[in-house]
Each structure stands twice: as C-alpha cells, then as structure tokens.
Amino acid sequence: MTTLWHNATLATMADGAPGGIIERGALLVDRDRLGWVGPIGELPRELRLAATQEIDVGGALVTPGLIDCHTHLVYGGERAREFEMRLQGSSYEEIARAGGGIRATVAATRATDDDRLQALASGRLRTMMAEGVTTIEIKSGYGLTRNDEARMLRVARRLADSHAVGVRTTYLAAHALAPEYEDRGEDYVEAVCAWLAQLHAEGLVDAVDAFCDNIGFSLAQTRRVFEAACALRLPVKLHAEQFSNQGGAALAARFGALSCDHLEHLDAAGVRAMAAAGCVAVLLPGAYYFLRQTQLPPVRELRAAGVPIAIATDHNPGSSPVLSPLLMLNMACVLFGLTPWEALRGATAHAARALGLGSTHGVLATGKRADFVVWDAAHPSELAYYIGRNACRRRVHGGVEGKS
Ligand code: DI6
Ligand code: FE
C-alpha cells in the first residue's frame, strides 16, 4: 500500500532545499520508506496513480519526526528533594560529592524490578512521542553493576518492541563510580570494559558513552573505555566539558566520536578537534537551565567551525527532568541563541547524525525512513515559539500512523 500525503508545508531539513520549505508539498509513503518527496506539481503521474490512499493535510507543516538523541529515560525514583536543596543553595557537584545525585538514582534503580522500570519509562516515552518523537536514544548508567546495566539496556530494547518508536541504546556504565568500587576507580573502569564486551555480545549496545568531568571519570579513564569500545567496533560519544574543561571533546574526536554532549566549557581547541572529526555537538539546554548554569556553550564558535549542532532533552531525574522536546527547541533559541531553524535541524537531521543514523533518518527525502509529524502550525518557527502548546497533530513512524 502506498499513501500520498499532500497539501503540506514541507520542512524537509535536507541540505539544499530552497529556503528550506516546500509549499504544496507531497510525501509518497511506500511501506516504511519515503518513495517520493517534493512539490505536488512535480510528482510523476504514474506515482500518483499508484497511490492507494490520499491524505490532504490542509496546508499544515510537516517535518521529519523529532529525534531525541540524548536521554537517560530508564531509572527508578525521582530527586525532587535534591531539587529543593539546590534551590536553597547546594550545588549539583556538592550533592554528588556527598553521595546524592547519580548515586541516589543508582540505589533507586537497583531496587526497582524490570517491569516497574519498564512501566515508568513507558510513561515518559509516551509523553515524548505525543510531542512528535519518533526516535530516541536511551542510556544505561544507573545500574553500575553488570546485571543492573544489562537490565536497563534490556528495558530500553523492550520499549522499542512495545511502542511505535525507534530506540538506540548507549552503554554508560562510566557514569559514576559504583559504590562497591569506592576509591578503586581504575578497577571500576576495568570492570566497565569487561561488562561492555558481554553486553555487546547480548546485542544490547549501539554506542558507548562516559561522563568525563571532575565529578566523573578522568581523561585517562575515559580513554580506556573508548579503547574497549573501539576494539568491539562500537561508536563512542561523550558527556564532555559540562562542569569543567577536561579536554574530553578532543579525546572523543580522536576516537571518531559520533557526538560530544553538553559542552558548556568547551574551548577553541575542542571546537577545532570536533570540526576536523565531523563530530556532532549535542547541546542540552534543559540541564543548563535546570542547574542554573551560567557558562554558555560556544555556539558561535561551533557554528563558525561548521560543527553540526543537535538539541536533546537529556531527560534524567537529576539535572534535566524534561519530557518536552519542543520546550528544548525554545530554550535552544532563547538561552543558547540558535535560530528556530537551527533548533529544528538540531532535533532532526543533526540528531540523526549524533546517533549514526544520518543516512536514513532525520530528513524528508526519497528513500529515507517514513518518520514524520504533521503539526498544527504553518511555519517551523512556531515549533520553537510556543511554550506548553503541543502542536503535534499526527505522528507517523515507519509509514504507520499511530499514537504510541
Ligand atoms: N550529566 C548530566 O547532566 C546527567 N548525567 C551526566 O553525566 C545527570 C544525571 C543525574 O544527575 O542523574
Ligand atoms: Fe546526560
């Protein structure tokens, strides 16, 4: 069955689209692929005749499905009390050093069974999908034992089976030092590398990440994790320069990282290294906002160097309890100075690249996946403009329209 979606204002997000918008656009959906994309007047007659169904969207904006390329969606518990402490003046770093922070969520996650973890994450995922998310990345990193990391990744994989959404899993055991390894950071990193091989053999890992910072892992420890990933031919990405400049982005670039994420403290050498390696900069305005950070990521420098910028929610219970990708578009513009167009590109085409899906996802073009959203909007800027208005009218994943 082929379906012709027409009378659309198409923001294809593909390179070279004139002004980026195609008026009176059409999408021909052939199973899970886009069979043809362009202005309806140019649609070859035989293709139109072959369509078994036509859907007129009445001039509405159609974009690629949103891609949330950085989340920690699977976890137990919440950290609202910690939020209160921060409002009273404690810093995120202080709370982490005092054994709260990530470690509090590790304890809660270990104490939550698989079905409950799945149900909690499913609720969060549905909220994201309702705003037009068709692909999401989910990290481990709240288990910190071989079995608990495996549980998180299995739950992430199961979410893809039970929801109309694509899931990419990222192994982030190097998120915090497991309590069992207190003062034995090197031993922990060795264990992280050993578990990686086992979990990869189970088919649970699409990419490998680490938290390289003064409250996370050192540059040398991060390198060990990356070497283990490379030996398994797994792509890497990095939580880099969030609270301090460790040179993590330059290291990640040397390993051909898909992305470096956060980057508030990125310096000029890091920007150059990322540009040379074609590494995507994933900016996370939700965490910047929620932690009341003041150091802005170097957006102008990234732009000038031609580094692709992606935007994600970083959904997690500590630094970014955000379930709204549309709000992230707004914050990327208001806080980080992106244009609405750049922000949308950041949540579609560039987010796809950050997940290694750049050749199939994130743009509307012939041959790409049929993942798209019909919005109650006439122009892409509206998506970044409203706060708290969910303009997602119809969501199509792999050619199939559905809720969740
Ligand atoms: N940086 C972050 O913002 C998240 N992880 C990281 O390395 C926060 C995770 C948490 O606080 O639970
Ligand atoms: Fe994160």
Side-chain angles (χ1 to χ4, degrees), residues 70 72 139 239 262 284 314 316:
H70 181 142
H72 310 245
K139 300 176 194 294
H239 281 70
H262 286 288
L284 304 166
D314 191 17
N316 75 73

Side-chain angles (χ1 to χ4, degrees), residues 79 82 85-86 90-104 175-177 179 182-183 211-218 242-246:
R79 307 232 293 275
E82 195 176 289
M85 285 163 67
R86 285 197 301 100
S90 304
S91 73
Y92 181 80
E93 286 97 325
E94 280 163 13
I95 293 168
R97 288 185 204 285
I102 294 173
R103 283 221 192 158
H175 192 197
L177 186 61
E182 194 73 60
D183 300 322
F211 179 33
C212 181
D213 218 304
N214 48 20
I215 53 166
F217 293 87
S218 69
Q242 182 182 10
F243 300 110
S244 60
N245 180 12
Q246 305 284 327

Side-chain angles (χ1 to χ4, degrees), residues 18 38 42 59 102 116 136 159 165 195 199 234 237 242 283 306 320 341 368 379 385 392:
E42 294 176 16
I102 294 173
R116 181 76 185 135
I136 189 167
L159 287 169
V165 72
W195 302 338
L199 301 190
L234 281 167
K237 38 182 55 235
Q242 182 182 10
L283 302 185
S320 189
W341 184 261
K368 306 289 181 188
H379 191 274
Y385 162 73
C392 176

Side-chain angles (χ1 to χ4, degrees), residues 17-203:
I21 298 280
I22 299 175
E23 305 286 351
R24 283 175 292 285
L27 299 170
L28 194 67
V29 176
D30 184 3
R31 282 155 298 172
D32 62 348
R33 300 279 141 181
L34 294 170
W36 191 88
V37 179
I40 188 82
E42 294 176 16
L43 175 66
R45 216 176 100 80
E46 63 278 14
L47 287 183
R48 180 148 201 171
L49 291 175
T52 46
Q53 189 191 3
E54 293 197 4
I55 297 173
D56 180 341
V57 299
L61 174 69
V62 175
T63 72
L66 301 185
I67 298 176
D68 194 346
C69 65
H70 181 142
T71 85
H72 310 245
L73 201 76
V74 176
Y75 59 86
E78 41 70 36
R79 307 232 293 275
R81 175 71 196 119
E82 195 176 289
F83 172 51
E84 284 188 52
M85 285 163 67
R86 285 197 301 100
L87 292 174
Q88 284 157 17
S90 304
S91 73
Y92 181 80
E93 286 97 325
E94 280 163 13
I95 293 168
R97 288 185 204 285
I102 294 173
R103 283 221 192 158
T105 300
V106 170
T109 302
R110 289 181 180 180
T112 304
D113 70 30
D114 293 11
D115 288 345
R116 181 76 185 135
L117 278 181
Q118 167 100 14
L120 291 167
S122 169
R124 298 171 193 133
L125 181 57
R126 283 170 202 272
T127 306
M128 300 264 207
M129 290 168 66
E131 271 198 13
V133 168
T134 51
T135 301
I136 189 167
E137 184 253 20
I138 302 177
K139 300 176 194 294
S140 69
Y142 290 123
L144 313 188
T145 65
R146 184 202 175 284
N147 284 346
D148 289 301
E149 289 292 299
R151 284 196 318 121
M152 292 185 71
L153 294 168
R154 271 188 219 114
V155 167
R157 284 271 190 256
R158 265 169 49 194
L159 287 169
D161 298 336
S162 50
H163 299 74
V165 72
V167 172
R168 301 297 284 176
T169 59
T170 299
Y171 175 72
L172 178 61
H175 192 197
L177 186 61
E180 297 77 13
Y181 286 82
E182 194 73 60
D183 300 322
R184 293 192 296 132
E186 298 307 321
D187 292 350
Y188 182 62
V189 170
E190 195 175 319
V192 165
C193 297
W195 302 338
L196 170 60
Q198 296 164 18
L199 301 190
H200 177 48
E202 280 186 50

